[in-house]
Structure formats: C-alpha cells, structure tokens
Amino acid sequence: LICLERGHGGYGGNVGDMWDTVDPSTNQFKADACFASGWYDKLRTIIFNFINKTGLSMLETDGPYGGGSCASKAHNHHVDLGDSVYWQTKLQGQLYKDLKELNVFINQPDYYFYQGGNKVGMGYNENQYSLPRWEDLTVSRMSMYDDSYHFIPTQGWMFVPIVVYHGGGDAAMFEPLEKHLLEYEWALAQYLGYGVAACYRGNALYDGPMSETLVKKWVSFYKLYRDILTSDIVHIRRPDLQDIDAILHVNPYIENKGLMMVYNPTSYVISHNLSIPLYYTGLKSSVLVFQEGQQPGKSYTLNRECSVILSLNMAPQTITWFLFKANL
C-alpha cells in the first residue's frame, strides 16, 4: 500500500501523522497518506533505490492515490485544501511515468493507464471471494465476460482465495486443494482460459499429487497457447449457471487464429449445435478445428457469416476447448 489506508488508523500502517491527510471539516487526521506530502519523497527514494540496485521489472502499487483531499498547510507539495487533489493526482501520475521510463510493469488497482499503469482488477468486488466456491467461480466468470468487452485479457487480474479472504470460512476457501479438486480445476481453467492472470492467495499452489497435476496441466496449456489466450475476446454466451458459457479468443496475425473455451457449470449433460463467429480470426473460407488439441483436426467450410456450427456434448461440470487454424 502506497497511499490508501496508509494514514492515521489505516489498515496498511500509518506512514506518520506529519504525512497523513487532514479532514477539512474536523481538522483531524484521516486514514490515507497524503501523496503531496513528504511521504511521496520518501516513497520515491525507497522505490527507485531498490529498482536501481536489483533491476526490479514489475511493481504492484496497491492503494495508489484515490482522489481524497487534504487540508494540511504543512505538506511539501501542496499549499492547502484547495490544491491538494490537483497535486496528489499529478504526483501519482508522475511516479508512474518515471517507472514506465525504466520499463517497469505496473500493477495498479486504479485507472492510471494514461500515466503508465498496466493492469487493474478485472471488475471484481473483493467480497465475492467470501462466497461459496462455486458461486465465487460463477460470479468471477461473469465479471471477466463483461469486462473483456472493454479490457484486453492481460489488462486485468482476478483472485483465487486458497485460504480465507475477508470471510466465508471453509465454504469459500479452496484449501485443502486435494479435497476441492473440481472447484480448483475450474479456477485454473477459467482464469488461464480467459487469459486473465489471477492472484492466488494462500500458502501453496498444490498440497498433494492430484492438485499438483492440475496445476501442471493448466499451466502447460497456458504456456503452449499463450499467444492466442492473451488475444482479444469475442463473446459467445454469458455465464448464468443455466447452460454452457463460452468465449472465443481471436488473432488473425498468428498461427493459432482462434481458441474457444466452453464451460458447462450445470449438473446435467448439455448437447448443442453452437454457432461460432470466426470473422475476427481472419479466416475466409475454411478452418481446421482441433478439440482439446486432438489430431487430426476437422475441416469445416465457413458460411456467408464467416461462422461454423460445432456440435457439443458436454458432461456435467466439465470444460472443453477448441483451437482454430487455417486450412492450408
């Protein structure tokens, strides 16, 4: 935490009352640090000394300046309440610009993209990770589906509460992973399948041979198809727990033109003829389709809408995927 909740009584720890924000109505200290105080100077010194000595290439600046005012008249970089928002905003942006000049990748739970931020939370509410696991997974998939209309996959992150986060107890946490293999595989498959990195909050990524196998399976999948998994998304069907949900990654400039993830979160078998729009893959007349990478691929002719019809037959609570390549 660099600003939010770093003031008087803040849960991130007080940086010092002399650098805390001051409430104009009560003249009392608030919970945030003032980003136009001497704290800004000290923080810059710490950050850039560390980067210069270690070559650090990524920095997560949790709790950047969030827009609050400060009535102090004793801070280094603003006069009083009237200019406090302006200078805090300006200095936060300047910090990111200077980091970007050093080619540092910036995680920032805020929208400083024009100042150099790279990634933000993918539209989630932290309290959703206190829901029971299956509800959490569904709500999170809904969030990614909706937010990927205006974010590219690598522009956001999600969250896996391996241990309790905020609340929810045993019903919400994924540990012990060996006892919750179904939900853990869905977490890995939906986040890596969307191309959206998740923060795995816990003690270990696996706690036994079966959970280790799941991690290796989906990490290997992501590494193999990373170029297409981090490409733009075409939306097929939104998650609602009533039917399958699906997305299609597309990129006409690489060998893997498309990759569709399909999820059946229901408790029954689903059989569908699903229309897949392939216009944004750049394919014009025909396509080779590989289900879960199986060889050989099956050839399809695109219709006038640049779509193909795929037959699905999915068992309850299963995941499948299809790779689309040019039919040379």
Side-chain angles (χ1 to χ4, degrees):
L1 292 170
I2 64 170
C3 184
L4 299 183
E5 293 291 337
R6 292 304 310 271
H8 197 83
Y11 67 78
N14 190 0
V15 299
D17 287 355
M18 66 284 197
W19 297 330
D20 292 346
T21 52
V22 175
D23 189 323
S25 60
T26 65
N27 209 36
Q28 299 296 310
F29 297 122
K30 296 193 291 183
D32 295 342
C34 176
F35 220 62
S37 70
W39 168 240
Y40 174 79
D41 303 315
K42 181 176 181 178
L43 184 68
R44 281 187 61 94
T45 299
I46 293 171
I47 289 174
F48 289 104
N49 279 348
F50 190 84
I51 289 173
N52 291 333
K53 290 180 179 179
T54 64
L56 183 75
S57 60
M58 179 271 180
L59 184 67
E60 180 167 350
T61 55
D62 200 355
Y65 172 62
S69 61
C70 176
S72 174
K73 298 181 179 180
H75 287 166
N76 291 11
H77 301 289
H78 73 102
V79 176
D80 54 22
L81 176 66
D83 65 343
S84 64
V85 172
Y86 171 82
W87 280 108
Q88 289 185 85
T89 303
K90 184 176 179 64
L91 291 172
Q92 178 66 81
Q94 188 62 51
L95 175 64
Y96 284 161
K97 289 177 182 177
D98 293 342
L99 287 169
K100 188 53 59 180
E101 287 183 0
L102 297 176
N103 202 30
V104 174
F105 185 95
I106 303 170
N107 258 32
Q108 37 117 40
D110 213 321
Y111 288 81
Y112 288 96
F113 290 112
Y114 286 114
Q115 285 76 30
N118 293 100
K119 183 179 284 192
V120 71
M122 187 66 97
Y124 65 73
N125 182 317
E126 288 189 349
N127 292 314
Q128 77 194 50
Y129 301 110
S130 299
L131 294 170
R133 287 179 294 277
W134 203 250
E135 293 179 35
D136 157 20
L137 290 168
T138 303
V139 171
S140 296
R141 223 162 50 257
M142 290 175 174
S143 296
M144 291 189 292
Y145 190 95
D146 293 344
D147 284 3
S148 54
Y149 276 103
H150 57 272
F151 282 163
I152 60 175
T154 55
Q155 204 173 350
W157 73 77
M158 295 298 285
F159 200 91
V160 179
I162 294 177
V163 297
V164 171
Y165 185 60
H166 288 305
D170 291 343
M173 62 188 269
F174 282 71
E175 278 192 347
L177 301 171
E178 291 287 305
K179 292 185 177 180
H180 303 131
L181 293 171
L182 176 63
E183 297 101 318
Y184 192 43
E185 177 161 25
W186 271 72
L188 292 165
Q190 71 178 42
Y191 296 129
L192 294 173
Y194 264 79
V196 175
C199 173
Y200 294 82
R201 186 183 180 94
N203 302 306
L205 287 173
Y206 52 86
D207 53 16
M210 292 184 290
S211 54
E212 181 181 8
T213 298
L214 290 180
V215 172
K216 288 180 177 179
K217 171 186 174 181
W218 286 104
V219 170
S220 296
F221 163 78
Y222 179 81
K223 287 182 175 180
L224 183 60
Y225 298 111
R226 182 172 183 167
D227 57 351
I228 185 63
L229 288 169
T230 56
S231 296
D232 290 343
I233 288 175
V234 172
H235 300 76
I236 307 296
R237 191 179 189 282
R238 189 177 189 270
D240 61 7
L241 277 181
Q242 305 303 306
D243 205 328
I244 63 109
D245 54 270
I247 58 161
L248 171 68
H249 294 278
V250 294
N251 193 331
Y253 304 109
I254 59 177
E255 180 182 358
N256 297 318
K257 305 297 184 183
L259 193 153
M260 180 173 69
M261 299 294 304
V262 187
Y263 305 89
N264 177 11
T266 73
S267 57
Y268 46 87
V269 174
I270 291 182
S271 296
H272 270 324
N273 287 327
L274 192 63
S275 178
I276 315 302
L278 296 177
Y279 177 85
Y280 290 104
T281 65
L283 298 169
K284 302 298 183 183
S285 57
S286 64
V287 60
L288 280 178
V289 181
F290 304 82
Q291 184 169 8
E292 299 186 14
Q294 294 177 356
Q295 299 285 348
K298 186 175 180 180
S299 178
Y300 289 82
T301 299
L302 275 63
N303 61 25
R304 292 180 62 185
E305 297 175 342
C306 291
S307 299
V308 295
I309 306 297
L310 297 184
S311 295
L312 294 179
N313 186 38
M314 297 185 66
Q317 296 182 330
T318 56
I319 303 152
T320 190
W321 53 275
F322 297 84
L323 184 68
F324 301 87
K325 292 187 175 185
N327 191 3
L328 301 175

